[in-house]
Amino acid sequence: MSDCLFCHILSGDIPSSKVYEDDDVYAFKDIHPKAPTHVLVIPKHHIATLDDAKDALQLGLLMQKVSYIANEVLKLKAGYRVITNVREGGGQVVFHLHVHILGGKKLAF
Ligand code: AMP
Ligand code: ZN
């Protein structure tokens, strides 16, 4: 998607602070962190929202990668929070499916 911020990050047109990458996902630091560790995990192909993700295997893979990144890359040993905002009412601003990983402090609900 030519007008998608996160597709521009994937192509390298817009710089980002990469923390992990493989064939399926790209993970980078959120530019406005809400916790000591705040990383975004995105699929490498454009999906606008969670509601547009029709492939259960791809979604499961994405969540497995989120767990791997949180534990093995970010070393969030005490635990972490996973958030996906869905469409305007859910606070989604960038319409390329992404999973927030938040950690590094005790998170109140
Ligand atoms: P959401 O509200 O769920 O769509 O979250 C979008 C997130 O993208 C926000 O937490 C922003 O701080 C983050 N963000 C926006 N632009 C960038 C960027 N260029 N690099 C890293 N994170 C960004
Ligand atoms: Zn995109």
Side-chain angles (χ1 to χ4, degrees):
M1 277 262 172
S2 57
D3 60 346
C4 170
L5 174 65
F6 288 172
C7 282
H8 284 301
I9 283 179
L10 281 172
S11 68
D13 295 342
I14 293 176
S16 62
S17 297
K18 177 168 92 170
V19 300
Y20 176 81
E21 179 175 19
D22 65 18
D23 288 346
D24 304 304
V25 303
Y26 183 77
F28 56 104
K29 292 181 182 173
D30 195 293
I31 204 166
H32 298 302
K34 307 287 191 301
T37 299
H38 187 172
V39 164
L40 303 173
V41 184
I42 63 176
K44 281 197 162 175
H45 60 283
H46 182 87
I47 302 171
T49 80
L50 180 66
D51 292 344
D52 300 299
K54 305 301 182 200
D55 187 325
L57 281 177
Q58 281 180 346
L59 267 183
L61 191 69
L62 175 65
M63 295 310 285
Q64 274 194 330
K65 306 259 171 160
V66 165
S67 170
Y68 174 81
I69 293 164
N71 286 286
E72 305 302 331
V73 180
L74 302 173
K75 309 285 186 193
L76 294 169
K77 297 189 186 309
Y80 58 95
R81 179 170 294 171
V82 169
I83 295 173
T84 294
N85 298 322
V86 185
R87 299 188 281 110
E88 289 86 349
Q92 185 174 6
V93 174
V94 180
F95 280 73
H96 181 129
L97 175 62
H98 53 282
V99 178
H100 297 253
I101 298 175
L102 295 151
K105 70 172 184 183
K106 181 81 174 166
L107 294 162
F109 190 76

